[in-house]
Amino acid sequence: MNQPLFRGSATALVTPFENGRVDYAALRRLVEMQLEGGTAAIVSCGTTGEPSTLTAEERENVIRETVKAVDGRIPVICGTGSNNTLAVVENERRFRDLGCAAQLVVTPYYNKTTQEGMYAHFMYIAEHTELPIILYNVPGRTNLDLSAATLKRLAASDRFLALKESSYNVPAILEKLCAIEGKMSLYSGNDDMVYPLLALGAEGVISVVSNVAPKLMHDMVDSYFTGDLQRSRTLQVQSLPLVRALFNEVSPIPCKYAMEKMGLCKGDLRLPLIDAGEETRRMMDEALAGLQLV
């Protein structure tokens, strides 16, 4: 049985910008907020961290500064994913000595591939990198779904720690759980599916919501594992207006708006992402007020 890297709520942390530059002082403040809120792990330069608009040097520095700020208190997971297999290997080589516990690797996007191609992609990464691998399946962004059969083949290697699953097909997720047979942990990648996936056997969530409400997400998962299922379920329902607001536009657009409104960091984004629209701002204002976050 594979031991999970973490159990609880992990945060896919935003990268704060100010005047076009990475705001490292804000980044350090955000890390402290996460630790105070009970966050179990941090993903640095995952999709929410806007790595596609960071230079290679910025990406490395963001991960380095995140690890430094965390100072060994919880695991840091670096995003190395790309639709270019060799680029993933190069990213991991650049980041491997920064102090991360694992790497998060998304399924290929845009050029995509077949199931056989995904197997070859991930196995090449497994054979040419050193950091343990968390697979990331997010069909809504990649239009590609890692199948149970492919997962079963990958699970034969001990290089794969976990699967971050961001789909809504519950029967397929059950098949994936059976396919990995305890050889990988499962984490919800959808903030509105945390309770259902915990009930299926997930070890927690890799969350966007926890950027603005880390204690809420911590308590949701912790309540489940301490046997207070009703509280866990209630917190899941209470979080839904915030989840809907956070994903009313492409993430992290709404998240950056919320964080500026809360005074956590500037809401700056990099093109092609732009500021949140009026409807998103309205939804977010109501959601934050409803949870007494502002």
Side-chain angles (χ1 to χ4, degrees), residues 108-122:
Y109 44 87
Y110 190 66
N111 52 347
K112 303 192 296 181
T113 187
T114 62
Q115 292 294 321
E116 190 63 32
M118 277 193 283
Y119 176 76
H121 170 75
F122 286 121

Side-chain angles (χ1 to χ4, degrees), residues 75-88:
V76 176
I77 301 155
C78 58
T80 62
S82 173
N83 58 340
N84 176 349
T85 308
L86 295 179
V88 178

